[in-house]
Amino acid sequence: MDKLQAMTTFVRVVEARSFSKAAQTLSMPRSSVTTTIKNLEAQLGTPLLRRSTRSLSLTEAGARYFASCQAILSDIERAESDVSERTNTPRGRIRVDVPGVIGRSIIVPRLREFEARYPDIELVLGLSDRPTDLIHEGIDCVIRTGVLEDSTLIARRLGQLNWLTCASPRYLKQYGEPDSIAALAAHRVVNYLSNATGRPLDWRFRVNGEDVTLSMRSRFAVNETEAYLQCGLEGLGLIQLSEFAASAYLRSGRLKEVLASARCVPVPISIVYPHARATAAMRTFVDWIAEIVGSDLPQ
């Protein structure tokens, strides 16, 4: 049995809290993951995991072994990273999760450039608006908007997002343009559903130096940026989204900003990753992201 592979598999199972999810992140059949853990337990002569149909937890021995495995694998990763840095050829596989609009508009069009500059880095790019758990899903880094709550992660600020209230010419022709926050009561809106809670996000404004949040009733609500944007373009109601997502449509005239004097405070956007994933390849990727995303966002 390859002991390092077994340790890696065990750690990933614990982090993912699932044999199936661990298998997906390791690109292995589930049966291979199960066999590896069984063989590891047999070799160590003690159970490492308590299994049930609904949960997976560590035994006392498993908890000690998990901590040791994390330390060993982290040391190996740092050693390889150090060699890679010294030879100036960062290499490795990085799993990244980013908001769809940033991935499609900025990152994907420049992947050929990334490959030319860093041919030994394999990039697995996930595009979604949903919140992700880096550890449990085996993701190496994510781009997040808003104030960061997890202080255990390394974070690098990329810039900030300005949020606008917009409408299509079709909507404005039919319903007119609101001239104040109070006027919104007579207008139709499309709500954006939080992927974390499933509830509509509040509409945010800043009036006379004070932050204002409103809960708006709507006939339509969606949970994905492209669909949300399309609702606005179709004239289904006012929408509130980042200037970055709306910019091309504002330039073409397919959207118009309303209530510009009541824009809310800009929201920071950052790339974050765990300390254990701070390899040369990761730092190289973060520098590249900061270079290409930062040039397109206000600082």
Side-chain angles (χ1 to χ4, degrees):
M1 179 174 59
D2 184 328
K3 187 61 68 67
L4 286 178
Q5 179 60 43
M7 287 182 172
T8 300
T9 302
F10 172 63
V11 167
R12 192 59 59 85
V13 168
V14 175
E15 290 178 339
R17 300 175 188 168
S18 163
F19 281 84
S20 298
K21 289 182 180 178
Q24 292 173 5
T25 63
L26 291 166
S27 299
M28 293 171 59
R30 187 187 188 283
S31 58
S32 297
V33 172
T34 302
T35 299
T36 297
I37 300 302
K38 286 182 178 179
N39 291 341
L40 184 60
E41 290 177 321
Q43 187 175 67
L44 294 172
T46 184
L48 300 174
L49 297 167
R50 299 186 188 92
R51 305 163 177 82
S52 71
T53 55
R54 294 186 178 181
S55 65
L56 192 69
S57 61
L58 288 165
T59 63
E60 184 177 344
R64 293 197 302 270
Y65 189 67
F66 175 65
S68 297
C69 287
Q70 281 187 309
I72 291 169
L73 294 173
S74 180
D75 286 343
I76 292 173
E77 195 167 27
R78 279 194 294 270
E80 292 177 343
S81 177
D82 181 65
V83 171
S84 179
E85 285 182 315
R86 291 176 185 277
T87 58
N88 200 33
T89 54
R91 65 183 67 247
R93 184 173 186 264
I94 302 174
R95 289 193 64 201
V96 186
D97 196 87
V98 304
V101 65
I102 289 177
R104 284 186 291 268
S105 301
I106 299 181
I107 299 177
V108 171
R110 301 185 69 170
L111 287 181
R112 193 177 297 277
E113 169 197 319
F114 181 81
E115 180 184 26
R117 289 171 62 176
Y118 310 110
D120 296 320
I121 298 179
E122 177 187 353
L123 189 62
V124 180
L125 184 64
L127 308 181
S128 75
D129 293 340
R130 68 179 182 87
T132 54
D133 187 316
L134 281 79
I135 302 301
H136 295 151
E137 297 184 44
I139 296 171
D140 296 307
C141 69
V142 298
I143 291 179
R144 288 180 175 166
T145 58
V147 178
L148 301 176
E149 298 179 356
D150 191 342
S151 60
T152 66
L153 300 174
I154 299 174
R156 179 166 175 178
R157 180 163 169 163
L158 302 176
Q160 61 186 16
L161 295 175
N162 292 315
W163 289 88
L164 318 179
T165 305
C166 301
S168 70
R170 178 179 177 180
Y171 175 88
L172 295 173
K173 182 178 180 180
Q174 184 173 0
Y175 296 100
E177 180 175 340
D179 58 5
S180 66
I181 303 302
L184 289 175
H187 281 265
R188 295 165 59 99
V189 305
V190 180
N191 273 324
Y192 189 93
L193 299 176
S194 166
N195 281 275
T197 66
R199 296 191 295 270
L201 295 178
D202 286 336
W203 286 57
R204 297 179 296 114
F205 302 93
R206 190 167 182 81
V207 180
N208 297 325
E210 295 187 4
D211 295 329
V212 177
T213 59
L214 299 176
S215 296
M216 306 285 287
R217 294 177 61 85
S218 67
R219 185 182 299 269
F220 303 104
V222 298
N223 68 346
E224 195 271 334
T225 301
E226 289 296 319
Y228 186 63
L229 179 57
Q230 193 61 39
C231 287
L233 293 171
E234 292 294 331
L236 298 177
L238 301 171
I239 58 174
Q240 195 170 65
L241 74 170
S242 71
E243 184 176 19
F244 177 79
S247 59
Y249 303 95
L250 293 169
R251 288 194 299 270
S252 68
R254 295 184 66 191
L255 286 178
K256 178 184 177 181
E257 182 181 6
V258 300
L259 299 172
S261 63
R263 278 191 188 185
C264 66
V265 174
V267 175
I269 180 169
S270 310
I271 185 168
V272 298
Y273 55 98
H275 286 267
R277 310 279 172 85
T279 63
M282 175 65 75
R283 290 192 292 271
T284 297
F285 175 73
V286 169
D287 287 343
W288 181 74
I289 285 291
E291 174 187 329
I292 67 168
V293 175
S295 63
D296 286 299
L297 295 177
Q299 301 300 306

